[in-house]
Amino acid sequence: MNELLKESLLDYADKVISAQICYLSVDDSGGDGTIIRKDERQLINMGNCGYLGLEHEQIVKEGSINAINTHGLHLSSSRAYISSNLYQSLEEKLTQIFGRPVVLAQSTHLIHLAVLPLIINTKDLLIVDQQVHRSVQVIGEYLSGRGVTTEYILHSHLGQLSALLDEHKHKYQKVWYLADGIYSMFGDRSPNEQLLQLLKDNEQLHIYFDDAHGMSCFGEKGEGWSLSGCLKGHPRVYVATSLRKGFGAEGAVFTCQDEAVCKLVRHMGGPVIFGGPISNGGLGAANVSADIHLSGQLAYFQSKLNENIKYCQSLLELNNLPVYSDPETPIFFIGVGDPDDGVKLVQRMMVCGFYCNIAIFPAVSKKHTGLRFTLTARHTTTQIENFVETLKDELINILALSKKTIHDVDSAFERVAFYKRKTVMQ
């Protein structure tokens, strides 16, 4: 990383830390994930990625407790030697959920680190989406340093992807496209129908998804956005996903159609083998969550989440707020524009009793700062109503101090908005 970029990143980190809106230590005890306390002040938590609230289900918590009581905190050994039978049980259930072989690891980042260097080599072309999760981009940079030819495309710009495929059709053994299933800032979904067509037209194309934010929220068995629709079962689609968000437990999963690739990762993927075990408590919770996913009960939690998403989206549109996120996912993005205005807005929301996230450089471009918030199945309609009402008032006040309007925000976001607002600008 060059020094100018490093200094810029540190400046932005200092900005949000000094504003006391990031790197916070909070008390989240005794609730259901919708309430946290900071300095003895209660805040409605609008930054929780436990989308279905399964981590607060009594049966899931008991699964964790029972596993600890039976097995201890963890079995401290590399899986190359021994591992708890809780691992085997969970992998069997996850294989049923995905309908394809799986490999377990502690985190999605360890999966990326273990898998991508094994399946991509210097005979391949790597194409990286501009907004794929940073944990994936880091591995792409590593591979580039190892001699893998790497190209970057604008976010979900399939025209650029198609052009690169045409240009390099006969130059490389394989072409790998690195993308998210659900993108973490704007909550937009990968365009799977169009990607399927590109897969049909280009035999060398392979797609690697990080679908951490899609897991459990999408699919009859919660298999995620990447594998719940038209790409399900596709032999050239590879997915890494998290068990720490919608799944409500601990760990991460790699899955693909080819058992030989999964075997390679199990036996040669160093970070998976030597990255330390998932805790027994996490495995116990994950086994119970997997049972919920396979039993048909998951639909209840998905339905509650989707009701909250639709209700919140309708309120945002009714109040003509500059929302630029996907209306079908639990991640919301409210445009602000100026970084200082974004910081002030998040501060004001905290004063009013709501915790939400600042979306700021480098997660988004410098002039497209926003407020990012998430919904879970456990948020109440009253919490959502109060949040949107407060957000409208505070955003208008912040913009007025900068002599701006929502129309100015729309103008600033016109070229980068992933989902155009349905309401007419006032």
Side-chain angles (χ1 to χ4, degrees), residues 60-124:
V60 176
K61 292 190 286 186
E62 288 174 357
S64 178
I65 294 167
N66 292 338
I68 292 172
N69 287 337
T70 302
H71 299 275
L73 287 175
H74 58 265
L75 177 55
S76 186
S77 173
S78 163
R79 289 200 74 190
Y81 294 121
I82 58 173
S83 59
S84 167
N85 56 13
L86 293 168
Y87 260 102
Q88 181 179 351
S89 172
L90 179 56
E91 286 178 333
E92 289 172 355
K93 294 172 183 178
L94 289 168
T95 297
Q96 295 179 57
I97 289 173
F98 289 106
R100 56 202 298 185
V102 301
V103 180
L104 272 173
Q106 271 200 331
S107 69
T108 51
H109 183 64
L110 285 180
I111 286 176
H112 304 328
L113 191 58
V115 173
L116 292 173
L118 284 177
I119 63 176
I120 301 174
N121 59 54
T122 53
K123 294 180 181 179
D124 301 339

Side-chain angles (χ1 to χ4, degrees), residues 358-371:
I358 183 75
I360 200 168
F361 182 78
V364 296
S365 59
K366 292 183 178 181
K367 295 182 180 180
H368 299 108
T369 299
L371 181 148

Side-chain angles (χ1 to χ4, degrees), residues 315-387:
L315 291 179
L316 293 169
E317 293 175 7
L318 181 65
N319 286 281
N320 195 34
L321 289 169
V323 52
Y324 297 112
S325 42
D326 188 324
E328 304 293 329
T329 73
I331 300 172
F332 291 78
F333 187 100
I334 303 299
V336 180
D338 180 76
D340 290 331
D341 288 343
V343 169
K344 291 173 186 175
L345 178 59
V346 174
Q347 285 180 312
R348 285 298 308 161
M349 293 301 292
M350 288 184 66
V351 169
C352 294
F354 298 95
Y355 170 74
C356 42
N357 304 139
I358 183 75
I360 200 168
F361 182 78
V364 296
S365 59
K366 292 183 178 181
K367 295 182 180 180
H368 299 108
T369 299
L371 181 148
R372 173 190 183 269
F373 70 93
T374 53
L375 287 180
T376 74
R378 293 182 177 271
H379 281 107
T380 67
T381 54
T382 299
Q383 288 172 335
I384 295 170
E385 289 167 358
N386 291 341
F387 175 77

